[in-house]
């Protein structure tokens, strides 16, 4: 696959022309405004990830990789000791912005490994190599999403109804996306899917981002509230569920946006195949099971206040706001990766492919 500069520019994250800043499309402003943010400091990159201006497991990995390069460039004049100490500190800081998606730490560690393995070459050469590495991470994501989309497309047929949760499209990745990739690729090939997008409380990624991306691409998309998934399944309107993932454990359990495991339980009840689609960078073979995945908890204001003119619950009322949940591998029909489709037993087959 020949990936061009334009392919990278088409995503939600890229490097500025002079290579000194990370540019992101601010996803908090969609679908109403297209606003780009320019990030140059560790704090700006951390905050953009934390507030979900850039979000989706692969996209935050790409953003962090570009961020590490930009920060390394800013330290180019430092002596080797302070360059390396500063770079490692920046890496740890960026990783701490969100704990659940493994792509973030995967990308930062990959950048640090390039720096550490080339110490002998001197700081300016290390900075140049980091520039190549962040572009490689982005290019690989475009390639992986394209392969995932092909594999995913082989699991559905023209006219099928597909339900998705949260947003795992181009905004969350690079080109095509993961869970949404087969729908976009299918559209390009003249297939007609009927997609149900869960609005995805509390941050509404399904409403604000998934229905936006699919509608713009000309895919038939219907937005539903999360609590309507059971009804559309019962009506026979859904032939497959496609969702993304933030971390896949070695036994096939996986973390994804809060509410995903509920969708999987419903799909099992109605006999509908349930797939998660993710790149190699989302598979964490060092994590034995879902019980070992740290789940991010977010500000209760996202439930009570964020989208309303007035608070929708008394100030005194407690809120529990986990950003992700873990879906048991028993509920999963298959894991669609860029390396192929993995069926149960997941522990054995994931080990064969990624062990
Ligand atoms: O909190 P978010 O919006 O970053 O959560 C994103 C998801 O849960 C996605 O489904 C996942 O990152 C996969 S994106 C290809």
């Amino acid at each position: 696959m020949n990936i061009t500069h334009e392919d990278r520019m088409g995503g939600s994250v890229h490097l500025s022309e002079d290579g000194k800043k990370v540019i992101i499309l601010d996803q908090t402003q969609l679908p109403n405004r297209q606003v780009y943010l320019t990030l140059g400091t560790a704090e700006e990159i951390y905050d953009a990830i934390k507030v979900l201006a850039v979000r989706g497991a692969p996209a935050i990995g790409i953003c962090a990789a570009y961020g590490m390069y930009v920060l390394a460039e800013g330290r180019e004049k430092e002596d080797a000791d302070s360059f390396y100490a500063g770079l490692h500190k920046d890496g740890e800081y960026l990783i701490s912005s969100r704990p659940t998606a493994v792509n973030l730490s995967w990308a930062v560690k990959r950048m640090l490994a390039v720096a550490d393995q080339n110490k002998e070459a001197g700081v300016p050469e290390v900075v140049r190599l980091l520039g190549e590495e962040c572009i490689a991470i982005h290019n690989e994501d475009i390639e992986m999403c394209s392969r995932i989309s092909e594999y995913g497309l082989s699991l559905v047929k023209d006219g099928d109804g597909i339900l998705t949760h949260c947003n795992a499209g181009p905004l969350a990745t690079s080109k095509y996306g993961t869970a949404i990739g087969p729908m976009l690729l299918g559209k390009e090939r003249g297939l007609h899917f009927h997609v149900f997008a869960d609005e995805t409380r509390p941050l509404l990624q399904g409403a604000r981002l998934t229905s936006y991306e699919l509608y713009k691409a000309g895919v038939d998309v219907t937005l539903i509230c999360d609590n309507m998934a059971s009804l559309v399944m019962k009506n026979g309107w859904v032939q497959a569920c496609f969702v993304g993932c933030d971390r896949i454990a070695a036994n096939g359990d996986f973390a994804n946006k809060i509410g995903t495991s509920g969708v999987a339980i419903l799909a099992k009840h109605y006999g509908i195949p349930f797939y998660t689609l993710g790149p190699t960078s989302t598979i964490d073979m060092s994590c034995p099971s879902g019980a070992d995945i740290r789940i991010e908890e977010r500000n209760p204001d996202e439930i009570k206040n964020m989208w309303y003119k007035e608070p929708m619950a008394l100030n005194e009322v407690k809120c529990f706001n986990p950003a992700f949940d873990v879906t048991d591998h028993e509920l999963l029909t298959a894991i669609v990766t860029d390396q192929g489709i993995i069926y149960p037993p997941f522990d054995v087959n994931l080990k064969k492919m990624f062990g």
Side-chain angles (χ1 to χ4, degrees):
M1 192 177 181
N2 186 23
I3 295 157
T4 62
H5 175 69
E6 280 63 41
D7 287 326
R8 287 191 298 274
M9 296 293 282
S12 63
V13 186
H14 63 268
L15 205 56
S16 63
E17 287 290 333
D18 64 2
K20 290 188 190 312
K21 298 274 195 284
V22 188
I23 313 276
I24 62 163
L25 174 60
D26 183 352
Q27 297 190 42
T28 65
Q29 302 284 328
L30 290 172
N32 298 315
R33 283 165 294 277
Q34 281 219 358
V35 177
Y36 288 87
L37 300 178
T38 302
L39 316 172
T41 66
E43 289 71 25
E44 286 168 351
I45 300 162
Y46 176 100
D47 287 346
I49 297 173
K50 183 90 191 163
V51 303
L52 273 55
V54 54
R55 52 146 297 283
I60 59 178
I62 296 166
C63 180
Y66 281 140
M68 289 296 285
Y69 169 60
V70 164
L71 298 172
E73 229 191 4
R75 296 183 180 282
E76 196 167 345
K77 300 270 174 310
E78 295 177 7
D79 65 67
D81 284 349
S82 48
F83 173 84
Y84 276 97
L87 200 64
H88 277 264
K89 201 165 139 246
D90 289 339
E92 272 169 40
Y93 177 59
L94 294 187
I95 288 175
S96 71
S97 56
R98 293 194 81 187
T100 305
V102 69
N103 308 60
L104 175 58
S105 56
W106 169 87
V108 169
K109 285 177 187 163
R110 186 165 150 178
M111 294 293 282
L112 287 173
V114 166
D116 290 346
Q117 283 156 16
N118 291 285
K119 267 188 181 163
E120 244 85 294
V123 170
E125 175 61 6
V126 165
V127 171
R128 196 190 63 74
L129 291 171
L130 288 173
E132 284 181 1
E133 193 68 8
C134 59
I135 298 284
I137 286 174
H138 196 168
N139 285 351
E140 284 167 28
D141 191 70
I142 295 173
E143 268 188 73
M144 288 193 288
C145 285
S146 163
R147 275 191 244 124
I148 289 167
S149 306
E150 289 283 359
Y151 285 122
L153 192 56
S154 73
L155 297 168
V156 279
K157 56 178 194 328
D158 196 18
D160 274 356
I162 305 172
L163 186 138
T164 190
H165 190 76
C166 194
N167 172 263
L171 287 164
T173 59
S174 46
K175 210 175 168 184
Y176 290 118
T178 56
I180 287 179
M183 306 164 199
L184 297 176
L185 190 62
K187 174 71 194 172
E188 277 179 17
R189 298 197 178 153
L191 303 179
H192 297 94
F193 298 125
H194 307 286
V195 181
F196 292 93
D198 281 354
E199 72 173 346
T200 317
R201 286 275 295 154
L203 292 182
L204 308 180
Q205 289 92 333
R208 295 187 301 105
L209 309 172
T210 299
S211 67
Y212 168 83
E213 284 186 314
L214 290 173
Y215 179 82
K216 292 270 175 197
V219 176
D220 174 28
V221 57
T222 304
L223 180 62
I224 58 170
C225 298
D226 299 348
N227 55 6
M228 298 168 189
S230 174
L231 182 134
V232 298
M233 288 185 191
K234 190 171 188 174
N235 285 356
W237 296 343
V238 179
Q239 279 65 54
C241 297
F242 282 176
V243 298
C245 40
D246 286 81
R247 193 182 294 249
I248 299 177
N251 70 344
D253 293 350
F254 72 98
N256 192 49
K257 180 50 54 191
I258 188 71
T260 302
S261 71
V263 176
I265 291 164
L266 291 175
K268 181 124 187 157
H269 178 78
Y270 291 111
I272 297 166
F274 181 90
Y275 304 100
T276 188
L277 299 86
T280 307
S281 51
T282 306
I283 295 165
D284 184 1
M285 294 303 283
S286 72
C287 177
S289 77
D292 305 289
I293 301 177
R294 197 175 137 207
I295 300 295
E296 174 187 3
E297 260 196 61
R298 295 185 62 88
N299 193 323
D301 265 8
E302 292 177 348
I303 299 178
K304 285 200 275 193
N305 293 322
M306 194 153 175
W307 309 105
Y308 310 110
K309 279 205 179 109
E310 291 180 307
M312 279 300 131
L314 289 175
N315 197 31
E316 297 75 13
V317 170
K318 285 187 291 179
C319 278
F320 174 49
N321 186 16
F324 301 94
D325 60 20
V326 170
T327 299
D328 284 351
H329 61 273
E330 282 97 351
L331 299 168
L332 196 47
T333 308
I335 302 171
V336 182
T337 75
D338 48 288
Q339 307 286 323
I341 303 173
I342 303 170
Y343 289 95
F346 293 115
D347 53 350
V348 175
N349 293 334
L350 279 168
K351 198 167 175 186
K352 255 191 228 159
M353 213 177 267
F354 302 102

